[in-house]
Amino acid sequence: MTPGIADAVHAVDPAAVMGLLPSRPRLLALGEPTHGEDVLLDVRNELFRHLVEREGYRTIAIESDCLMGLVVDDYVTSGTGTLDEVMERGFSHGWGAFGPNRELVRWMRAYNDGRPGAERVRFAGFDGPLEITGAASPRRALTALHTYLAARVDSALLPHMAETLDELLGADDRWTDTAVMTDPSRSVGQTFEAGQLRLLADDLVTLLDTQTPHLVATSTPDEWHRARLYGRTAVGLLRYHSSMADPSPSRMARLIAQRDAMMAANLLALAERTPTLVHAHNGHLQRNRSMMRMGGPPVEWWSAGAIVAAGLGEEYAFLATALGTIPHQGVGAPPPDTVEGLLYALPQERCLVDSGRLAAALADATLAPRESPWYGYAPLDPAHLAGIDGIVFVKDTAAGKGG
């Protein structure tokens, strides 16, 4: 073992996490190198419970559809719906099928039962209404924002009637056609109607901004924050659909960057409310530029974490997670000249590593990035250690995942 590494190792608990940081961050980001591993979700759940009980954190935000997440938040705060319904309707990307996510929602509901509003824990999705195969129609976000404003401001101030929205939106399947991802010519994102909708969305968000004092006074905090979420989502979706129609070589880079910009806007809004634990792929939360290969030249973009960190400074902290083995994905013991390999030599099955001390201990070492055997798994890049506040290391995953 490289001298000095053992001194950088701690238990994975809130006290150790806070000991790595100058102060309690408004947003504490916990990354993962790949999705869908139950053990990583279990670590997240345990850390969140302890952060709630010991450090006053009140919200968890995960890489899931921000509008669908409202279903989960309604359930955990007020018991609306059933657990089965929430797991089916409250998560994107198939996350509702994972056992640890179900356990998280169940625990949050039980924790909130009988507690006053200020002490309740909240749930948020912070991804846009986006899937790998395409994007949602902007209908829900636009109509919800229009409905909110129509109930509270003079009708003369509204830029359009609800009927105009319906006419411009047309059928939702025009927006959700999955063939668009590989054929930009099928997208409606740069049609005349889409252009008019972008102007209308901008007008509605401007009205939301200019009427802030009145709207805050005539709304509950949840109504106000949800209206802002609808505005961000409508504008972001229309931008995303416009880029879906772009046939240029920069199309994919623009789409990925716009997705992370939507994520960042949602995270900054959450930071205004309560201390929040954020959970997503390392690539969305790191401070460095993210990079991905998708069959052609590498695509690079600034992650949501990089954007948020630029605005929040020390109020944002990032814990990367690294894995030793993933047997069911064919990932064996890591090479000893990688970050994962050095950590795999430690006796602990799970640990928190002070990345600053680790970097100092490795100052004279030559480390290679661990190779990724499949798309979606991103090992730690040794060159990025300076942008990480700590590393949560999990030595081995179970032989199965999900469900």
Side-chain angles (χ1 to χ4, degrees):
M1 182 187 302
T2 302
I5 291 184
D7 295 335
V9 177
H10 309 276
V12 184
D13 65 52
V17 170
M18 296 305 157
L20 302 181
L21 308 172
S23 61
R24 185 186 73 171
R26 297 287 294 176
L27 292 180
L28 175 59
L30 175 66
E32 59 180 3
T34 187
H35 289 313
E37 299 299 329
D38 277 357
V39 65
L40 300 186
L41 300 179
D42 288 337
V43 170
R44 175 205 65 188
N45 289 356
E46 183 177 0
L47 181 60
F48 179 59
R49 288 195 297 267
H50 291 162
L51 286 168
V52 169
E53 294 163 354
R54 303 177 193 174
E55 297 292 338
Y57 279 71
R58 284 293 173 265
T59 300
I60 187 167
I62 74 166
E63 187 183 334
S64 185
D65 183 329
C66 57
L67 299 186
M68 295 178 77
L70 298 177
V71 173
V72 185
D73 191 54
D74 284 341
Y75 175 75
V76 300
T77 55
S78 62
T80 303
T82 67
L83 182 57
D84 286 343
E85 291 169 347
V86 167
M87 300 313 297
E88 180 179 353
R89 297 172 42 239
F91 292 83
S92 59
H93 311 317
W95 300 153
F98 289 93
N101 285 336
R102 185 183 184 91
E103 175 56 24
L104 171 69
V105 175
R106 188 207 62 76
W107 178 83
M108 293 176 72
R109 178 69 201 121
Y111 181 89
N112 284 337
D113 190 26
R115 292 182 186 270
E119 296 181 12
R120 292 174 188 163
V121 289
R122 309 293 299 260
F123 179 94
F126 72 96
D127 201 352
L130 311 170
E131 294 283 357
I132 293 174
T133 54
S137 163
R139 179 185 303 278
R140 178 181 174 188
L142 277 171
T143 54
L145 177 58
H146 188 278
T147 299
Y148 169 84
L149 290 168
R152 291 167 176 81
V153 301
D154 190 320
S155 60
L157 296 175
L158 285 171
H160 292 282
M161 300 296 290
E163 292 78 7
T164 305
L165 275 177
D166 283 335
E167 292 172 6
L168 292 172
L169 284 162
D172 282 346
D173 58 10
R174 299 166 65 237
W175 299 91
T176 58
D177 181 3
T178 57
V180 169
M181 184 53 75
T182 55
D183 184 0
S185 68
R186 296 178 64 105
S187 173
V188 298
Q190 293 185 11
T191 60
F192 171 80
E193 291 82 2
Q196 292 299 112
L197 284 168
R198 291 185 73 178
L199 292 174
L200 189 153
D202 184 70
D203 286 345
L204 290 175
V205 171
T206 299
L207 183 58
L208 190 69
D209 291 339
T210 59
Q211 295 293 308
T212 293
H214 168 69
L215 294 172
V216 168
T218 57
S219 306
T220 67
D222 279 353
E223 288 170 340
W224 166 243
H225 286 289
R226 289 189 178 193
R228 295 173 65 204
L229 173 62
Y230 294 137
R232 292 193 303 275
T233 305
V235 170
L237 274 174
L238 287 164
R239 288 173 180 160
Y240 194 89
H241 278 289
S242 178
S243 292
M244 291 277 279
D246 176 17
S248 75
S250 65
R251 175 181 187 254
M252 191 54 64
R254 291 179 62 192
L255 288 172
I256 296 174
Q258 286 175 9
R259 179 188 178 195
D260 270 74
M262 291 176 72
M263 288 181 169
N266 287 332
L267 290 178
L268 288 169
L270 288 170
E272 297 175 9
R273 303 191 70 182
T274 61
T276 298
L277 176 68
V278 183
H279 187 251
H281 196 283
N282 285 335
H284 290 304
L285 300 177
Q286 66 187 28
R287 291 184 175 92
N288 302 87
R289 280 179 70 82
S290 297
M291 188 272 285
M292 181 188 300
R293 292 186 180 274
M294 305 184 72
V299 176
E300 295 189 10
W301 73 100
W302 287 111
S303 73
I307 297 169
V308 170
L312 292 184
E314 291 183 351
E315 292 273 70
Y316 178 79
F318 170 48
L319 304 178
T321 296
L323 280 171
T325 69
I326 316 175
H328 52 279
Q329 295 285 8
V331 180
D337 63 343
T338 64
V339 174
E340 287 86 354
L342 290 171
L343 299 179
Y344 197 72
L346 296 169
Q348 293 89 344
E349 291 298 315
R350 301 179 186 179
C351 59
L352 173 69
V353 182
D354 183 331
S355 53
R357 287 193 173 189
L358 179 65
L362 302 177
D364 298 324
T366 300
L367 296 180
R370 187 183 189 184
E371 292 187 7
S372 175
W374 86 92
Y375 167 78
Y377 169 54
L380 290 182
D381 186 336
H384 290 173
L385 286 180
I388 298 172
D389 295 299
I391 301 169
V392 174
F393 183 69
V394 176
K395 181 169 285 189
D396 299 296
T397 64
K401 68 175 186 175

